[in-house]
Amino acid sequence: AQSVTQPDIHITVSEGASLELRCNYSYGATPYLFWYVQSPGQGLQLLLKYFSGDTLVQGIKGFEAEFKRSQSSFNLRKPSVHWSDAAEYFCAVLVSPGYSTLTFGKGTMLLVSP
Amino acid sequence: KAGVTQTPRYLIKTRGQQVTLSCSPISGHRSVSWYQQTPGQGLQFLFEYFSETQRNKGNFPGRFSGRQFSNSRSEMNVSTLELGDSALYLCASSLVSGGRGEQYFGPGTRLTVT
């Protein structure tokens, strides 16, 4: 079965510093991968997605992610974190291209220190 | 274009009661998926509807059911509520079902069972 692992439950980053959130997946075929962000009391907002092609994908709010098949990873990065980036981040994989069903990781809570 | 709306936003119910949650997708979207979010289990898929047909179902007991109407609005029902059903219930809509249909999430309904 497909699974997604986000090894870090919490991460604290200083404002202006770079960020990398880790995501590892287990999937038999070429995965469809996503990163979502959730602010307190809100729903999920899609940051970026990978379907195929270029392994470095750009998203909204200055985020990017790199797909590495050899490492089964899809890590999220941002060169300079802003205080407004504090939120919970979820990595997800599509169960099957024929469905809209997503399997999510447990999430990483990002705290931004001044 | 209006986003995904969910009603009610907050709900308090007593064990044994039943509850109905509503989701109105983005205009023109025909796929609606439901997820349960809890601190312990994270985000878990409940079911997906497309053109009034259930396309996929997660591993939840039969107390959880759903349906979709001809205008793509969807409802989910939980009967005989248990304390463990307390969660944030999120729905997501997409234009099409499957991988390339970008999913947009609503703000969720916070259900508390006492």
Side-chain angles (χ1 to χ4, degrees), chain A residues 1-4 25-34 51 92-104, chain B residues 33 35 43-46 48 55-59 98-99 103:
Chain A
Q2 300 82 2
S3 66
V4 177
Y25 65 89
S26 170
Y27 190 73
T30 301
Y32 285 32
L33 295 160
F34 306 81
F51 291 156
V93 64
L94 203 68
V95 166
S96 164
Y99 301 105
S100 295
T101 308
L102 294 168
T103 295
F104 286 89
Chain B
S33 299
Y35 292 85
L43 282 151
Q44 294 185 284
F45 169 74
L46 282 157
E48 177 195 349
R55 298 202 72 232
N56 202 6
K57 188 177 191 305
N59 189 25
Q103 295 192 55

Side-chain angles (χ1 to χ4, degrees), chain A residues 62-82:
Chain A
F63 286 93
E64 66 177 27
E66 186 171 13
F67 169 64
K68 292 185 177 179
R69 184 186 300 276
S70 61
Q71 298 177 19
S72 297
S73 69
F74 188 55
N75 294 348
L76 182 71
R77 301 193 295 244
K78 186 169 185 178
S80 177
V81 169
H82 188 262

Side-chain angles (χ1 to χ4, degrees), chain B residues 75-96:
Chain B
E75 289 181 347
M76 66 162 282
N77 183 275
V78 188
S79 62
T80 320
L81 283 166
E82 301 177 358
L83 295 179
D85 298 332
S86 294
L88 180 67
Y89 290 87
L90 295 164
C91 85
S93 78
S94 61
L95 194 60
V96 297

Side-chain angles (χ1 to χ4, degrees), chain B residues 50-72:
Chain B
F50 181 77
S51 294
E52 302 178 67
T53 301
Q54 187 180 87
R55 298 202 72 232
N56 202 6
K57 188 177 191 305
N59 189 25
F60 278 81
R63 301 185 295 108
F64 291 81
S65 62
R67 58 179 177 169
Q68 187 180 32
F69 302 95
S70 58
N71 62 357
S72 294

Side-chain angles (χ1 to χ4, degrees), chain A residues 16-88:
Chain A
S18 64
L19 169 71
E20 182 169 30
L21 301 182
R22 296 182 292 165
C23 172
N24 293 96
Y25 65 89
S26 170
Y27 190 73
T30 301
Y32 285 32
L33 295 160
F34 306 81
W35 274 101
Y36 285 87
V37 61
Q38 185 178 36
S39 298
Q42 302 296 314
L44 301 172
Q45 182 182 23
L46 179 66
L47 288 175
L48 46 76
K49 58 185 182 284
Y50 171 79
F51 291 156
S52 63
D54 192 350
T55 57
L56 185 63
V57 292
Q58 302 296 321
I60 62 171
K61 304 185 180 186
F63 286 93
E64 66 177 27
E66 186 171 13
F67 169 64
K68 292 185 177 179
R69 184 186 300 276
S70 61
Q71 298 177 19
S72 297
S73 69
F74 188 55
N75 294 348
L76 182 71
R77 301 193 295 244
K78 186 169 185 178
S80 177
V81 169
H82 188 262
W83 64 266
S84 60
D85 294 324
E88 191 158 22

